[in-house]
Amino acid sequence: GPCKAVVNLFRKLKNEFGEDDGLHFAVAEADSIPTLQPFRNKCEPVFLFCVNGKIITIVRGVNAPLISKKITELVQEEREIAAGQKERDEVLTKQIVEDASRQLAFFFPNFGIKRTDQKVEKTLALIRPSLLKERRRKYSVLQRIKDDGFKIAMQKEIILSEEQTREFYKEHENQDYFPVLLEQMTSGPTLILALTRENAVAHWRDLLGPKTVEEAMKENPNSLRAKYAVNNIPIAQLHGSSTPDDAQKELQFFFPQEHTLALIKPAAAKKHKDDIMQKVKEAGFTISKIKEEALTHEMATQFYKDHKGKPFFEHLVTCMTEGPSVVMILTKENAVEEWRQLMGPTDPEVAKVTSPESIRAQFAQDILSNAVHGSSNREHALESIECVFGEIDID
Ligand code: GDP
């Protein structure tokens, strides 16, 4: 239909602006992409104009002259910005652009990459406690990481316990250097970095150089392990994963992703869906799965089986079945607990006093139609995710 004609228009524009590598067209099916959920169930096509990972304009319906004009204007603007004749608008300031590309790189490592054999990878890097204490050298390592084209997708500083160290280094437990390693790793905060880049694992290891400080100094004095050795400490101060498989395991060790089941109850789904979804995103959750569905009486009864026999049970089931709910799997570190924090206390009157920023304080009608549901612990989360979405495959 009309969409086909637009594809021809895109081809023509792409030819015209041939040298402008910045111009990309993509077709996205709202039905199969959770983030595009708001665009579902509408028959008219929607055109999103996106600059540096941020949607800046929307055109609804096939309006070829308008679409063509918008694209021409945007390409022109990008050319002027690239030539230094124009400043980028406020909304596209550095922080937002960096955030967008950092998150894109982590969750969609190969988004926008041309077909080459180099794939974007993730790796884990550690800056150990003795080096981390030396502020200037620490910043110098971080600078080197950026200069070499890595993005820091996630980072945190933690003091490892003896137990965590033993778990992380269990394959090294019988080595003669293990006691020193244990002492070093528990002596203060370690900086833990999730790095992304093409060929990240091998590139980071190449920069690090030989395994031990002694070998590094002898064989490759320019390697990072030689340059950032700390006086009198035989343990190298920098770590990198050995293989992509190891990287996956090590990242999961330090940045464990958890899933929880979240549900926007019918009354709130009708009135406040967009506001609630906005809060979900602002809090940094990834929406791993989403569907809109009216629960049947049986499903609602099963969902709240622990409350069967309580005086409010039948009312609760009625509330849950009066229209479609939005059912989601939310993914984040510590997702179960963080979603409960964001929901707020069960009773909205309590929520308004103790957590005025919470979803229930802002969007609940009363204790039964209290806007949202969330699993109360990890076991419940797994159980109810399976119950609602069947076998899950989201990792
Ligand atoms: P939640 O995890 O905060 O949703 O709370 P629960 O799992 O304990 O309870 C499930 C739902 O039952 C709540 O969201 C409320 O809608 C309702 N509920 C719980 N306790 C009460 C109560 O004491 N009175 C009434 N009317 N409803 C309640």
Side-chain angles (χ1 to χ4, degrees):
C3 297
K4 294 259 163 61
V6 174
V7 170
N8 287 336
L9 171 68
F10 286 168
R11 279 214 186 94
K12 183 171 149 271
L13 288 167
K14 183 85 183 162
N15 281 341
E16 266 172 35
F17 299 120
E19 283 123 70
D20 266 282
D21 208 22
L23 185 61
H24 299 282
F25 298 108
V27 179
E29 294 206 352
D31 282 344
S32 46
I33 302 174
T35 322
L36 298 181
Q37 217 263 345
F39 298 102
R40 283 185 197 163
N41 302 328
K42 312 223 165 52
C43 51
E44 69 176 358
V46 177
F47 300 90
L48 305 175
F49 295 81
C50 182
V51 175
N52 282 340
K54 191 163 174 62
I55 294 168
I56 54 162
T57 306
I58 298 181
V59 173
R60 290 175 196 276
V62 181
N63 181 341
L66 180 60
I67 294 168
S68 175
K69 180 165 167 269
K70 267 272 149 245
I71 294 170
T72 311
E73 279 171 9
L74 286 173
V75 170
Q76 187 56 36
E77 196 177 5
E78 283 304 303
R79 282 178 175 168
E80 284 168 18
I81 292 169
Q85 295 158 354
K86 193 171 184 233
E87 294 254 324
R88 199 176 284 291
D89 284 352
E90 271 289 292
V91 284
L92 296 171
T93 47
K94 212 162 148 259
Q95 186 57 41
I96 295 171
V97 172
E98 272 181 10
D99 274 2
S101 65
R102 201 169 49 80
Q103 290 169 12
L104 259 179
F106 195 76
F107 290 109
F108 302 100
N110 291 299
F111 180 82
I113 299 278
K114 295 214 191 72
R115 247 180 245 195
T116 63
D117 33 19
Q118 299 281 58
K119 290 264 187 224
V120 171
E121 277 179 351
K122 304 167 198 175
T123 193
L124 182 93
L126 300 181
I127 304 184
R128 297 200 167 107
S130 299
L131 175 58
L132 199 64
K133 278 187 211 123
E134 300 182 18
R135 282 172 62 90
R136 272 198 27 230
R137 294 177 88 205
K138 165 189 144 182
Y139 287 119
S140 154
V141 174
L142 291 175
Q143 192 56 48
R144 182 65 201 271
I145 287 172
K146 287 192 183 143
D147 291 345
D148 262 72
F150 289 99
K151 287 205 167 74
I152 299 176
M154 297 189 278
Q155 62 174 307
K156 63 179 171 192
E157 234 180 82
I158 53 172
I159 302 178
L160 286 174
S161 66
E162 179 174 338
E163 202 186 346
Q164 284 170 311
T165 311
R166 284 188 185 279
E167 172 65 20
F168 188 70
Y169 288 113
K170 57 176 181 280
E171 272 135 43
H172 301 249
E173 202 145 15
N174 297 323
Q175 305 290 337
D176 49 2
Y177 56 77
F178 187 76
V180 185
L181 182 64
L182 184 62
E183 188 275 316
Q184 272 291 303
M185 292 307 291
T186 51
S187 67
T190 296
L191 182 62
I192 304 169
L193 304 167
L195 303 181
T196 61
R197 208 204 96 126
E198 283 173 20
N199 204 18
V201 175
H203 192 81
W204 178 236
R205 290 200 69 85
D206 285 348
L207 286 182
L208 292 182
K211 283 248 173 215
T212 67
V213 176
E214 211 185 333
E215 285 165 351
M217 297 249 186
K218 223 187 309 161
E219 292 164 25
N220 187 354
N222 280 327
S223 66
L224 297 188
R225 280 186 178 132
K227 277 170 71 175
Y228 293 97
V230 171
N231 277 347
N232 305 325
I233 297 179
I235 295 287
Q237 292 299 311
L238 295 162
H239 164 81
S241 312
S242 304
T243 63
D245 275 356
D246 280 354
Q248 188 74 22
K249 282 185 215 140
E250 294 180 1
L251 285 164
Q252 179 63 19
F253 183 90
F254 285 113
F255 301 101
Q257 298 287 301
E258 194 174 84
H259 308 298
T260 193
L261 186 87
L263 183 148
I264 307 180
K265 296 187 179 185
K270 197 164 160 192
K271 280 203 195 140
H272 304 294
K273 187 177 137 191
D274 290 348
D275 291 327
I276 294 173
M277 296 303 288
Q278 184 67 23
K279 275 190 165 284
V280 169
K281 285 178 201 151
E282 279 168 7
F285 288 98
T286 301
I287 302 167
S288 297
K289 294 227 169 168
I290 183 164
K291 65 177 173 183
E292 250 176 272
E293 189 172 318
L295 301 191
T296 61
H297 191 275
E298 289 71 32
M299 283 164 87
T301 307
Q302 170 67 19
F303 212 70
Y304 284 122
K305 62 181 186 313
D306 294 347
H307 296 286
K308 220 168 176 174
K310 293 193 181 158
F312 57 84
F313 183 71
E314 282 308 321
H315 297 295
L316 180 60
V317 170
T318 308
C319 270
M320 296 301 290
T321 51
E322 69 187 8
S325 295
V326 179
V327 197
M328 300 176 274
I329 298 179
L330 300 183
T331 304
K332 194 178 184 224
E333 263 189 83
N334 203 18
V336 173
E337 179 52 31
E338 286 198 22
W339 174 241
R340 292 202 65 84
Q341 290 286 338
L342 188 61
M343 290 198 305
T346 310
D347 185 343
E349 295 313 313
V350 177
K352 280 177 198 152
V353 179
T354 61
S355 340
E357 293 301 314
S358 68
I359 293 177
R360 281 169 168 169
Q362 295 184 352
F363 305 113
Q365 269 173 23
D366 51 48
I367 191 168
L368 286 172
S369 288
N370 57 359
V372 275
H373 162 84
S375 312
S376 39
N377 57 50
R378 292 189 70 172
E379 290 69 42
H380 274 177
L382 288 175
E383 218 177 84
S384 45
I385 285 171
E386 239 179 73
C387 166
V388 179
F389 287 94
E391 285 281 298
I392 47 161
D393 175 22
I394 40 183
D395 284 324

